[in-house]
Amino acid sequence: MSGDRNTQSPAIRERIVEALTAAKRDMDILGWFEWRTVIGLIVPEILASDLVGTRKRLDARVRRELATRLDAETVAGISMRFHVYPEPRAGEGGPWPVDPILYPELRSRRKRSRADEAIRRGLDIIASLTLLAVLSPLLLLIAGLVKLKSRGPVLFKQVRIGQMMQPFTILKFRTMHCDVGPALHHEYVSSFIKASGQVPDLGTNGVFKLTNDPRVTPVGRILRKTSLDELPQLWNVLRGAMSLVGPRPPLPYELEQYKSWHRRRVLEAKPGITGLWQVTGRSRTTFDEMVRFDLRYARTRSLGADLKSLLATPAAVISGKGAC
């Protein structure tokens, strides 16, 4: 709630605070969002199905209390804005809107790191172009094997959720047979996230991951084991949807099952081909641990840390720990 110049006197501010105090419930939290300019009221435990009704009732209740304490002209100069956290989806198929006002620390952090982001983007462009050129014979060889050994396109395109919950299309070499659905992976992801705070039930290979997936082709198994199926994502890096280093981008149906704090892994940093989780834990960790790896990276990231992750990636790929 904010007001024009006519509402900024100490006496009027005091009456506004009194009105909000009278209108709020015992569990609600009242405080200054911007000191002596914008006052905020946190209203927890609202049903997602009743957002519109709650907004109307709260608006009427607050304005009724204001009207008993202030004249009509002053009340008309007071504006009220409503923000919902976590933000509801815009509709079936997304996207997930992000309300910047709910993440002031992200705004200030991004302002402070503009020079660093510009350098990182420049390195992403140079590195992705160089790798695409150097690895072009290998890329052509893999494309030929994929096409030769199974029916269907060489590349697999899939919608993922990137930084600030913006959807984009990720590219991978196709490792599965055509015309297979996501039901098996959806079930696995649901189990992984639901067991997020528990020690995972490790299989015989020591990982908590979808193994022996019947959808995967023989060539696809090799590509996944060596992570060579990820190489086309260099094009995503070149276009700016991804970075060389960062959290892995989730699928939309993964994001639907995230808790509020899980969502921050797709807010704070651009998704990457490799990162702290990939070179440290990969699928041997719980889901909560994976999120903590991503949040730790986002809050402490530096060019030195990115270089360290990049240098550690070949060893992690060769060892195959956590890969299937």
Side-chain angles (χ1 to χ4, degrees):
M1 174 183 289
S2 59
D4 57 22
R5 291 183 179 180
N6 296 326
T7 66
Q8 297 305 309
S9 72
I12 292 178
R13 284 201 302 265
E14 184 177 342
R15 292 191 181 98
I16 293 174
V17 172
E18 289 176 355
L20 286 172
T21 301
K24 78 180 189 69
R25 305 170 302 174
D26 290 340
M27 68 179 70
D28 298 340
I29 302 170
L30 181 65
W32 288 107
F33 185 76
E34 293 180 9
W35 181 243
R36 297 185 181 276
T37 304
V38 181
I39 192 168
L41 180 66
I42 300 176
V43 184
E45 298 185 13
I46 296 176
L47 295 176
S49 58
D50 191 35
L51 292 177
V52 175
T54 299
R55 176 174 179 169
K56 289 180 178 179
R57 290 191 296 272
L58 182 59
D59 183 279
R61 192 162 70 241
V62 170
R63 293 199 177 276
R64 186 168 58 248
E65 294 293 341
L66 288 170
T68 64
R69 293 168 172 81
L70 299 167
D71 59 78
E73 183 180 356
T74 303
V75 173
I78 298 173
S79 62
M80 285 191 286
R81 292 174 293 171
F82 295 84
H83 305 270
V84 179
Y85 180 84
E87 303 90 334
R89 287 182 63 177
E92 188 61 33
W96 283 260
V98 175
D99 190 344
I101 201 171
L102 299 176
Y103 308 95
E105 76 285 1
L106 292 184
R107 297 203 308 273
S108 61
R109 193 178 302 153
R110 292 175 76 180
K111 287 180 181 178
R112 291 195 305 269
S113 61
R114 282 178 180 173
D116 185 64
E117 290 296 335
I119 295 173
R120 181 177 279 104
R121 178 62 187 143
L123 292 176
D124 278 344
I125 292 174
I126 294 171
S128 58
L129 275 173
T130 302
L131 288 171
L132 284 169
V134 171
L135 297 176
S136 56
L138 177 61
L139 295 173
L140 290 173
L141 175 61
I142 294 173
L145 289 174
V146 171
K147 193 68 177 178
L148 183 65
K149 294 298 183 179
S150 62
R151 178 180 58 86
V154 170
L155 294 178
F156 174 67
K157 300 179 181 180
Q158 188 178 55
V159 174
R160 296 288 184 102
I161 306 301
Q163 188 178 18
M164 299 304 287
M165 298 195 189
Q166 293 300 310
F168 71 99
T169 300
I170 200 171
L171 299 177
K172 303 175 78 171
F173 280 121
R174 182 175 57 83
T175 59
M176 295 188 294
H177 297 285
C178 287
D179 304 321
V180 293
L184 192 61
H185 185 261
H186 195 163
E187 182 180 356
Y188 156 72
V189 166
S190 299
S191 299
F192 187 35
I193 295 176
K194 288 176 182 177
S196 58
Q198 304 171 11
V199 176
D201 182 15
L202 300 178
T204 56
N205 61 348
V207 301
F208 184 71
K209 189 168 184 175
L210 185 59
T211 56
N212 300 319
D213 189 341
R215 303 172 301 167
V216 179
T217 65
V219 171
R221 295 189 190 283
I222 298 173
L223 295 179
R224 289 190 172 197
K225 187 69 176 178
T226 57
S227 297
L228 291 174
D229 61 318
E230 312 281 355
L231 289 179
Q233 289 163 41
L234 290 169
W235 180 249
N236 292 117
V237 174
L238 183 61
R239 296 193 63 184
M242 294 179 66
S243 182
L244 289 175
V245 181
R248 291 300 296 161
L251 289 155
Y253 58 72
E254 292 180 57
L255 191 60
E256 289 176 352
Q257 301 183 64
Y258 278 13
K259 298 176 184 177
S260 295
W261 73 276
H262 292 156
R263 292 155 47 96
R264 299 194 73 91
R265 70 180 296 268
V266 290
L267 291 174
E268 301 203 16
K270 187 179 289 188
I273 298 179
T274 187
L276 186 60
W277 172 70
Q278 288 91 327
V279 301
T280 306
R282 302 187 80 179
S283 54
R284 292 170 292 141
T285 63
T286 67
F287 178 74
D288 277 6
E289 287 171 342
M290 181 193 75
V291 174
R292 291 188 182 100
F293 274 125
D294 291 338
L295 295 180
R296 187 192 313 164
Y297 165 77
R299 292 167 184 170
T300 62
R301 62 181 173 154
S302 64
L303 293 175
D306 284 1
L307 182 59
K308 185 177 179 180
S309 292
L310 287 171
L311 293 175
T313 298
V317 170
I318 292 171
S319 68
K321 292 181 179 179
C324 295

